[in-house]
Amino acid sequence: MITLLLVPLLLPWAAPALARRVPARCSPVAALWALTVSAVLLAGGSVAALGTLALTGLLKIPAFAALGDLVHPLQTPSERVLLPLAALAAGLLTLAALTLGLSLVRQSAGLRTARAAADRRPAAGDLCVIDSPRPDAYALPGRPHRIVVTTAMLRSLDASEREALFAHERAHNSGGHHWFLAVAELTAHCHPALRPVRDAIRLAVERAADEAAAGTVGDRRLTARAIARAALATNSREAGRPTVTPAATTGPVPQRVAALMAPARPARRAVPWIAALLAACAVLSCATAATGAVRVHEDIEVAQGETGG
């Protein structure tokens, strides 16, 4: 049982190396979905395994065994192995819950601040211009969606570059990219190995918007130039935006610009092996976590006297 529950905790460590290669092998939209779904499955398997380990350890304590109506001792591996693992699992779950809670508070406060600043300005359609000496532009989720841009950013770009930048940010809102970023943020708190996967999801989000903007303006080089100039004008360390608000100036901009400067790749029908391998790891993580949880449930039923054993 312990071996089964350790597999979902070890498999996510293979994800960063695989996730870094997915955006280069898949179309941006396919990469975004593959990375996000895999991250959710890996995070779910990890949390389920930690929860099952923690519960099993608790039921070895007489007071909790009585609460669980156990009439027989719960059959488990050696307590010298189980109890330290259960205590560690409970500690990791608590730490993950605390860090996730703090992140939710920060993200919510940042979104409220950004929304309040946008609502105080008159909007031209979905475009909201904020008077600021700091160049910045981002897609603001919520109802209605907003494209927020500062006056300094407008002065940094020419008219055609501004249109390309706006097309990029509109692609974020129309694609619901803030949901992908929110999921990436959540999963990153479930297992430390999923933090690099969060970065890969952010790259896929920006690449998807890059390609959508290039298709809208009909000029890949113009889109690349607009993103490069906007990034050069922006100091991302001072942006102060929530991480769930996508922006053209985030992520590895040189890598994105190089992809836009290259000819558009034809769509692939076959699933690249790297994405298939990442998906296989994610499915295996969930399967082993579920199998381990079912076996623990069966052992609990035996200890409760509900089945023979």
Side-chain angles (χ1 to χ4, degrees):
M1 179 267 291
I2 288 182
T3 302
L4 277 174
L5 294 176
L6 289 178
V7 170
L9 302 176
L10 296 176
L11 276 175
W13 293 105
L18 298 173
R20 281 192 290 267
R21 292 170 172 79
V22 169
R25 303 294 182 89
C26 303
S27 68
V29 174
L32 180 57
W33 278 101
L35 289 168
T36 305
V37 172
S38 297
V40 169
L41 294 177
L42 288 167
S46 175
V47 170
L50 289 174
T52 304
L53 279 172
L55 175 62
T56 306
L58 285 175
L59 291 177
K60 297 297 290 184
I61 300 173
F64 287 96
L67 289 174
D69 297 325
L70 303 189
V71 296
H72 305 296
L74 184 63
Q75 297 299 313
T76 62
S78 170
E79 292 186 4
R80 294 183 178 180
V81 175
L82 176 63
L83 292 182
L85 284 176
L88 179 61
L92 291 174
L93 282 174
T94 302
L95 180 61
L98 288 174
T99 58
L100 178 58
L102 291 173
S103 177
L104 287 173
V105 170
R106 288 195 301 268
Q107 297 293 329
S108 298
L111 283 172
R112 285 195 300 270
T113 301
R115 173 58 65 175
D119 289 344
R120 287 195 296 267
R121 303 314 197 271
D126 63 346
L127 183 63
C128 177
V129 179
I130 294 178
D131 188 14
S132 172
R134 177 170 53 83
D136 198 12
Y138 56 91
L140 182 62
R143 294 187 178 181
H145 290 322
R146 289 279 187 260
I147 305 300
V148 179
V149 62
T150 64
T151 52
M153 178 62 82
L154 293 178
R155 289 193 294 268
S156 300
L157 307 176
D158 63 30
S160 59
E161 290 166 348
R162 288 196 292 267
E163 287 304 314
L165 180 66
F166 298 159
H168 177 103
E169 304 303 352
R170 288 191 177 100
H172 281 316
N173 280 335
S174 62
H177 291 165
H178 56 284
W179 292 113
F180 292 94
L181 294 177
V183 170
E185 184 68 20
L186 186 154
T187 58
H189 292 278
C190 296
H191 196 292
L194 296 179
R195 293 171 188 169
V197 180
R198 173 181 58 187
D199 296 335
I201 291 174
R202 289 175 179 170
L203 171 59
V205 161
E206 295 305 326
R207 285 286 300 119
D210 290 344
E211 293 296 334
T216 299
V217 301
D219 191 333
R220 298 177 64 83
R221 289 182 176 273
L222 169 62
T223 306
R225 188 172 74 246
I227 290 170
R229 292 192 62 185
L232 287 173
T234 304
N235 186 344
S236 59
R237 294 182 179 180
E238 298 178 358
R241 285 183 270 99
T243 57
V244 295
T245 54
T249 56
T250 58
V253 174
Q255 181 179 343
R256 292 166 49 207
V257 169
L260 282 169
M261 296 295 286
R265 293 182 299 178
R268 298 178 179 179
R269 293 185 178 180
V271 178
W273 68 268
I274 200 75
L277 186 56
L278 179 62
C281 288
V283 172
L284 181 59
S285 173
C286 281
T288 51
T291 302
V294 168
R295 290 191 181 180
V296 169
H297 177 69
E298 292 172 348
D299 292 340
I300 292 173
E301 287 185 332
V302 171
Q304 290 173 332
E306 296 181 9
T307 60

CSV table of all heavy atoms in Angstrom, one decimal, residues 159-180:
chain,number,residue,atom,x,y,z
A,159,ALA,N,1.5,53.1,-34.0
A,159,ALA,CA,0.1,52.7,-34.1
A,159,ALA,C,-0.1,51.2,-34.5
A,159,ALA,O,-0.9,50.5,-33.9
A,159,ALA,CB,-0.6,53.6,-35.2
A,160,SER,N,0.7,50.7,-35.4
A,160,SER,CA,0.6,49.3,-35.8
A,160,SER,C,1.0,48.4,-34.7
A,160,SER,O,0.4,47.3,-34.5
A,160,SER,CB,1.4,49.0,-37.1
A,160,SER,OG,2.8,49.3,-36.8
A,161,GLU,N,2.0,48.8,-33.9
A,161,GLU,CA,2.4,47.9,-32.8
A,161,GLU,C,1.4,47.9,-31.7
A,161,GLU,O,1.2,46.9,-31.0
A,161,GLU,CB,3.8,48.4,-32.3
A,161,GLU,CG,4.9,48.2,-33.2
A,161,GLU,CD,6.2,49.0,-32.9
A,161,GLU,OE1,6.1,49.9,-32.0
A,161,GLU,OE2,7.2,48.7,-33.5
A,162,ARG,N,0.8,49.0,-31.5
A,162,ARG,CA,-0.3,49.1,-30.5
A,162,ARG,C,-1.4,48.1,-30.9
A,162,ARG,O,-2.0,47.4,-30.0
A,162,ARG,CB,-0.8,50.5,-30.3
A,162,ARG,CG,0.1,51.4,-29.6
A,162,ARG,CD,-0.6,52.7,-29.1
A,162,ARG,NE,-1.0,53.5,-30.2
A,162,ARG,CZ,-0.3,54.5,-30.7
A,162,ARG,NH1,0.9,54.8,-30.2
A,162,ARG,NH2,-0.7,55.3,-31.7
A,163,GLU,N,-1.8,48.1,-32.1
A,163,GLU,CA,-2.9,47.2,-32.6
A,163,GLU,C,-2.5,45.7,-32.3
A,163,GLU,O,-3.3,44.9,-31.9
A,163,GLU,CB,-3.2,47.4,-34.0
A,163,GLU,CG,-3.9,48.7,-34.3
A,163,GLU,CD,-5.2,48.8,-33.5
A,163,GLU,OE1,-6.0,47.8,-33.5
A,163,GLU,OE2,-5.5,49.9,-32.9
A,164,ALA,N,-1.2,45.4,-32.6
A,164,ALA,CA,-0.8,44.0,-32.4
A,164,ALA,C,-0.8,43.7,-30.9
A,164,ALA,O,-1.2,42.6,-30.5
A,164,ALA,CB,0.7,43.9,-32.9
A,165,LEU,N,-0.4,44.7,-30.0
A,165,LEU,CA,-0.4,44.4,-28.6
A,165,LEU,C,-1.9,44.2,-28.1
A,165,LEU,O,-2.2,43.3,-27.3
A,165,LEU,CB,0.2,45.6,-27.9
A,165,LEU,CG,0.3,45.5,-26.4
A,165,LEU,CD1,1.2,44.4,-25.9
A,165,LEU,CD2,0.7,46.9,-25.8
A,166,PHE,N,-2.8,45.1,-28.6
A,166,PHE,CA,-4.2,44.9,-28.2
A,166,PHE,C,-4.8,43.6,-28.7
A,166,PHE,O,-5.5,42.9,-27.9
A,166,PHE,CB,-5.0,46.0,-28.8
A,166,PHE,CG,-4.6,47.4,-28.3
A,166,PHE,CD1,-5.0,48.5,-29.1
A,166,PHE,CD2,-3.9,47.6,-27.2
A,166,PHE,CE1,-4.6,49.8,-28.6
A,166,PHE,CE2,-3.6,48.9,-26.7
A,166,PHE,CZ,-3.9,50.0,-27.5
A,167,ALA,N,-4.4,43.1,-29.9
A,167,ALA,CA,-4.8,41.8,-30.4
A,167,ALA,C,-4.3,40.7,-29.5
A,167,ALA,O,-5.1,39.7,-29.2
A,167,ALA,CB,-4.4,41.6,-31.8
A,168,HIS,N,-3.1,40.8,-29.0
A,168,HIS,CA,-2.6,39.8,-28.1
A,168,HIS,C,-3.4,39.8,-26.8
A,168,HIS,O,-3.8,38.7,-26.3
A,168,HIS,CB,-1.1,40.2,-27.8
A,168,HIS,CG,-0.5,39.2,-26.8
A,168,HIS,ND1,0.4,38.3,-27.2
A,168,HIS,CD2,-0.6,39.1,-25.4
A,168,HIS,CE1,0.8,37.6,-26.1
A,168,HIS,NE2,0.2,38.1,-25.0
A,169,GLU,N,-3.6,40.9,-26.2
A,169,GLU,CA,-4.4,40.9,-24.9
A,169,GLU,C,-5.8,40.5,-25.1
A,169,GLU,O,-6.4,39.8,-24.2
A,169,GLU,CB,-4.3,42.3,-24.3
A,169,GLU,CG,-2.9,42.9,-24.1
A,169,GLU,CD,-2.0,42.0,-23.2
A,169,GLU,OE1,-2.5,41.0,-22.6
A,169,GLU,OE2,-0.8,42.3,-23.1
A,170,ARG,N,-6.4,40.8,-26.2
A,170,ARG,CA,-7.8,40.4,-26.5
A,170,ARG,C,-7.8,38.8,-26.7
A,170,ARG,O,-8.8,38.2,-26.3
A,170,ARG,CB,-8.3,41.0,-27.8
A,170,ARG,CG,-8.7,42.5,-27.6
A,170,ARG,CD,-9.5,43.1,-28.7
A,170,ARG,NE,-9.8,44.5,-28.5
A,170,ARG,CZ,-9.2,45.5,-29.0
A,170,ARG,NH1,-8.2,45.3,-29.8
A,170,ARG,NH2,-9.6,46.7,-28.6
A,171,ALA,N,-6.8,38.3,-27.2
A,171,ALA,CA,-6.7,36.8,-27.4
A,171,ALA,C,-6.7,36.2,-26.0
A,171,ALA,O,-7.2,35.1,-25.8
A,171,ALA,CB,-5.5,36.4,-28.2
A,172,HIS,N,-6.0,36.8,-25.0
A,172,HIS,CA,-6.0,36.3,-23.7
A,172,HIS,C,-7.5,36.2,-23.1
A,172,HIS,O,-7.9,35.2,-22.5
A,172,HIS,CB,-5.2,37.1,-22.7
A,172,HIS,CG,-3.7,36.9,-22.9
A,172,HIS,ND1,-3.2,35.6,-22.9
A,172,HIS,CD2,-2.7,37.8,-22.9
A,172,HIS,CE1,-1.9,35.7,-23.0
A,172,HIS,NE2,-1.5,37.0,-23.0
A,173,ASN,N,-8.2,37.3,-23.3
A,173,ASN,CA,-9.5,37.3,-22.7
A,173,ASN,C,-10.5,36.4,-23.5
A,173,ASN,O,-11.3,35.7,-22.8
A,173,ASN,CB,-10.1,38.7,-22.8
A,173,ASN,CG,-9.6,39.6,-21.6
A,173,ASN,OD1,-9.2,39.1,-20.6
A,173,ASN,ND2,-9.5,40.9,-21.8
A,174,SER,N,-10.4,36.4,-24.8
A,174,SER,CA,-11.3,35.5,-25.6
A,174,SER,C,-11.0,34.0,-25.3
A,174,SER,O,-11.9,33.1,-25.4
A,174,SER,CB,-11.2,35.8,-27.0
A,174,SER,OG,-9.9,35.6,-27.5
A,175,GLY,N,-9.7,33.7,-25.1
A,175,GLY,CA,-9.3,32.3,-24.8
A,175,GLY,C,-9.5,31.9,-23.4
A,175,GLY,O,-9.2,30.7,-23.0
A,176,GLY,N,-9.9,32.8,-22.5
A,176,GLY,CA,-10.1,32.4,-21.1
A,176,GLY,C,-8.7,32.0,-20.4
A,176,GLY,O,-8.7,31.1,-19.6
A,177,HIS,N,-7.7,32.7,-20.8
A,177,HIS,CA,-6.3,32.2,-20.4
A,177,HIS,C,-6.1,32.4,-18.9
A,177,HIS,O,-5.3,31.8,-18.3
A,177,HIS,CB,-5.2,33.0,-21.2
A,177,HIS,CG,-5.2,32.5,-22.6
A,177,HIS,ND1,-4.5,33.2,-23.5
A,177,HIS,CD2,-5.7,31.5,-23.2
A,177,HIS,CE1,-4.6,32.6,-24.7
A,177,HIS,NE2,-5.4,31.6,-24.5
A,178,HIS,N,-6.9,33.3,-18.3
A,178,HIS,CA,-6.7,33.5,-16.8
A,178,HIS,C,-7.1,32.3,-16.0
A,178,HIS,O,-6.6,32.0,-15.0
A,178,HIS,CB,-7.6,34.7,-16.3
A,178,HIS,CG,-9.0,34.6,-16.7
A,178,HIS,ND1,-9.5,34.9,-18.0
A,178,HIS,CD2,-10.1,34.3,-15.9
A,178,HIS,CE1,-10.8,34.7,-18.0
A,178,HIS,NE2,-11.2,34.4,-16.8
A,179,TRP,N,-8.0,31.5,-16.6
A,179,TRP,CA,-8.4,30.2,-15.9
A,179,TRP,C,-7.2,29.2,-15.9
A,179,TRP,O,-7.0,28.6,-14.9
A,179,TRP,CB,-9.6,29.6,-16.6
A,179,TRP,CG,-10.9,30.4,-16.4
A,179,TRP,CD1,-11.6,31.0,-17.4
A,179,TRP,CD2,-11.6,30.6,-15.2
A,179,TRP,NE1,-12.7,31.7,-16.9
A,179,TRP,CE2,-12.7,31.4,-15.5
A,179,TRP,CE3,-11.4,30.2,-13.9
A,179,TRP,CZ2,-13.6,31.8,-14.6
A,179,TRP,CZ3,-12.3,30.7,-12.9
A,179,TRP,CH2,-13.4,31.4,-13.3
A,180,PHE,N,-6.5,29.2,-17.0
A,180,PHE,CA,-5.4,28.3,-17.1
A,180,PHE,C,-4.3,28.7,-16.1
A,180,PHE,O,-3.7,27.9,-15.5
A,180,PHE,CB,-4.8,28.3,-18.5
A,180,PHE,CG,-5.7,27.6,-19.6
A,180,PHE,CD1,-6.6,28.4,-20.3
A,180,PHE,CD2,-5.6,26.2,-19.8
A,180,PHE,CE1,-7.4,27.8,-21.3
A,180,PHE,CE2,-6.4,25.6,-20.7
A,180,PHE,CZ,-7.3,26.4,-21.4
